[in-house]
Amino acid sequence: MRAEKLVVIGQGYVGLPLAMRAVEAGLDVTGLDTDSYRVKRLVAGESFVEDVPADRLGRALGSGRYHPTTDYADAEGFDVCVITVPTPLRNGVPDLSHVEQAGVGIGPYLRPGCLVVLESTTYPGTTEELLRPLLESVSGLRSPADFHLGYSPERIDPGNPVWRLENTPKVISGVDPVSLERADTFYRRLVDRTVPVGSTQVAELTKLIENTFRQVNIALINELTMLSHELGIDVWQAIDAAGTKPFGFMPFRPGPGVGGHCLPVDPCYLSWQVKRRLGRQFRFIELANDVNHEMPAHVTARIMAGLNRSGRAVNGARLLLLGLSYKKNTGDLRDSPALDVAQRLCGLGADVRAVEPYAESHQIPTGVLVVPLTEQEVRAADAVVVVTDHDVFDYDLVARHARYVFDARDRCVGPTVERL
Ligand SMILES: NC(=O)c1ccc[n+]([C@@H]2O[C@H](COP(=O)([O-])OP(=O)(O)OC[C@H]3O[C@@H](n4cnc5c(N)ncnc54)[C@H](O)[C@@H]3O)[C@@H](O)[C@H]2O)c1
């Protein structure tokens, strides 16, 4: 019997781990991506996603059942297609052009009985109102009569060693009960537990609830942190103490802002849809965005004040930033608040150096010099700023040798350390 043929459109942070998992589950996987550089690297066994080490990619290639490609014609004869392309904002508005292009690209290869699942994060209604008519018009087939269609949000947490694709429950939906059953059967081969829900809109909203919940709670703690600083109260201790409550509380930690592909973007998909459909503002989301956007300016101001206390101006000061990615232990610099902080400090005339072991050099903003974390660099800096707390950093070394540390992540302890 031939292996089931899966096409994963988009071989990024979401699509590549999914493709690897599917190869390991015995499927024949075509990894489609329009980025020829990425595909070339995948063919050569080079992974750019931390959660997929090169040896795992090598095993998938070696199995003969993983085929990275830029050519949609290689989708011919597929059984299941999962779409994992980006869903960014353009001028604050959802940009679904990648999903549309994926639909146009795969449409000609749909055949009766096949299944298409959208995984990209998006506003409720996208699968049925945008993707379904598009696939129908390109393929000439109808859903659900001819092909099955569903939505399943991705919950991947890059860099998380505990919760991976296979042990994180997967929410599944379909445009009708048969599509749901078909999608559920497919994902049960890949993950330990599936969570079927009643409609694609519910599944789409599920993802947006999860990320809006994080965005709003982070904003709450960020605002509280700025106010507690002025009140002279240690907010970190208060959060830790509140975190001992065994029920009804979940601790969130402050930071220099939110970044990445999800938290600054996904809630805006929801507020945009609410505005479009109901003509109303989603006030929590707007407020949370405002607070989180304020954080890089707040961090910059606190560093300036810290330098000022020891008689130094930020102009001409040598600053060592630890971490530039938006979250720890990844090299993902997309929308990272650390870049905003770096750019503000450069703009103020500081000599900005950064330690960022995960990002590729072409991603580093101009004006920022990447250096290793050494005693010499720490001693030479007027201030060391913990922006993104990668676990590989030696925080004891920093606390021992730095003249002044501004720690936005609560990782350093010592008399020269000031916390956000
Ligand atoms: N990164 C995460 O942690 C995460 C978590 C959950 C959900 N998501 C969502 O998953 C989706 C994908 O995110 P990602 O982080 O994997 O993005 P990514 O940018 O890492 O990867 C997307 C890939 O899709 C490719 N692509 C774009 N248009 C294409 C097309 N028409 N045909 C084929 N390939 C195309 C791009 O070249 C890119 O390699 C987004 O909607 C995102 O919000 C991401």
Side-chain angles (χ1 to χ4, degrees):
M1 206 177 84
R2 83 172 176 96
E4 193 169 39
K5 176 165 175 171
L6 167 68
V7 177
V8 182
I9 305 184
Q11 290 294 278
Y13 286 90
V14 170
L16 187 58
L18 177 71
M20 294 299 102
R21 179 73 193 127
V23 171
E24 288 154 11
L27 279 72
D28 189 82
V29 182
T30 298
L32 242 172
D33 202 296
T34 42
D35 183 337
S36 53
Y37 175 66
R38 276 200 167 175
V39 170
K40 233 182 246 162
R41 288 185 62 184
L42 288 172
V43 171
E46 286 174 37
S47 170
F48 40 82
V49 174
E50 297 90 25
D51 293 343
V52 177
D55 59 338
R56 190 176 180 203
L57 174 61
R59 278 196 301 278
L61 290 163
S63 74
R65 283 184 289 101
Y66 176 53
H67 321 281
T69 179
T70 55
D71 189 355
Y72 271 88
D74 292 334
E76 181 82 54
F78 79 86
D79 302 293
V80 180
C81 169
V82 179
I83 301 174
T84 68
V85 295
T87 44
L89 292 171
R90 194 190 296 150
N91 303 324
V93 170
D95 172 10
L96 287 168
S97 59
H98 298 284
V99 175
E100 288 167 352
Q101 283 156 19
V104 168
I106 199 68
Y109 303 99
L110 262 60
R111 54 198 182 111
C114 75
L115 166 70
V116 179
V117 182
L118 179 62
E119 282 204 7
S120 302
T121 307
T122 185
Y123 58 81
T126 307
T127 307
E128 298 207 19
E129 292 159 21
L130 183 139
L131 188 59
R132 171 153 67 179
L134 180 69
L135 291 173
E136 288 181 342
S137 81
V138 180
S139 67
L141 301 174
R142 317 292 301 166
S143 173
D146 301 321
F147 68 93
H148 309 296
L149 179 62
Y151 179 83
S152 176
E154 182 44 67
R155 284 171 157 169
I156 207 157
D157 182 19
N160 189 326
V162 177
W163 295 107
R164 302 175 309 280
L165 173 62
E166 54 272 31
N167 64 356
T168 304
K170 191 105 173 79
V171 173
I172 314 284
S173 68
V175 296
D176 73 321
V178 181
S179 292
L180 174 63
E181 179 53 37
R182 179 85 168 79
D184 194 51
T185 304
F186 165 68
Y187 280 108
R188 269 192 273 123
R189 293 185 67 177
L190 309 183
V191 300
D192 298 344
R193 185 179 156 217
T194 58
V195 183
V197 296
S199 71
T200 55
Q201 289 89 340
V202 168
E204 289 159 337
L205 183 59
T206 302
K207 174 73 187 176
L208 297 182
I209 294 176
E210 291 167 7
N211 281 355
T212 302
F213 175 83
R214 277 194 69 72
Q215 176 233 21
V216 166
N217 278 289
I218 290 170
L220 171 70
I221 286 298
N222 279 340
E223 185 165 38
L224 186 64
T225 299
M226 293 189 278
L227 297 172
S228 298
H229 173 65
E230 288 186 44
L231 292 170
I233 304 171
D234 184 341
V235 75
W236 299 89
Q237 266 197 53
I239 297 167
D240 285 345
T244 61
K245 189 180 179 190
F247 49 87
F249 182 78
M250 186 184 285
F252 282 81
R253 315 263 168 214
V258 295
H261 200 307
C262 296
L263 295 193
V265 175
D266 301 350
C268 300
Y269 268 66
L270 186 52
S271 57
W272 178 84
Q273 177 72 321
V274 167
K275 182 94 185 153
R276 187 172 73 137
R277 281 283 169 84
L278 307 177
R280 302 235 294 272
Q281 270 203 342
F282 197 139
R283 290 168 296 167
F284 265 99
I285 292 178
E286 310 289 338
L287 180 60
N289 276 336
D290 284 351
V291 172
N292 289 332
H293 283 148
E294 224 183 291
M295 292 312 290
H298 175 78
V299 167
T300 307
R302 294 275 299 274
I303 296 165
M304 285 168 71
L307 289 167
N308 190 52
R309 280 196 297 277
S310 57
R312 293 272 356 216
V314 71
N315 193 346
R318 180 159 157 175
L319 307 180
L320 182 64
L321 306 191
L322 302 191
L324 288 177
S325 57
Y326 83 92
K327 67 183 283 194
K328 69 175 188 173
N329 303 339
T330 90
D332 192 346
L333 263 55
R334 292 178 295 185
D335 282 325
S336 173
L339 299 181
D340 193 342
V341 172
Q343 269 149 5
R344 283 170 189 274
L345 293 169
C346 286
L348 290 165
D351 166 8
V352 178
R353 292 155 185 249
V355 187
E356 179 43 81
Y358 296 112
E360 293 173 352
S361 56
H362 67 92
Q363 299 175 290
I364 305 297
T366 37
V368 176
L369 180 67
V370 174
V371 294
L373 180 56
T374 60
E375 183 182 323
Q376 204 180 9
E377 284 291 343
V378 171
R379 280 182 183 278
D382 294 296
V384 179
V385 185
V386 182
V387 197
T388 307
D389 55 333
H390 297 313
D391 289 332
V392 292
F393 291 153
D394 184 344
Y395 296 100
D396 287 341
L397 174 111
V398 173
R400 255 199 326 274
H401 299 294
R403 272 178 260 169
Y404 165 59
V405 182
F406 184 78
D407 184 356
R409 301 288 187 174
D410 190 27
R411 291 296 289 254
C412 288
V413 181
T416 60
V417 179
E418 178 189 353
R419 283 188 297 189
L420 174 63

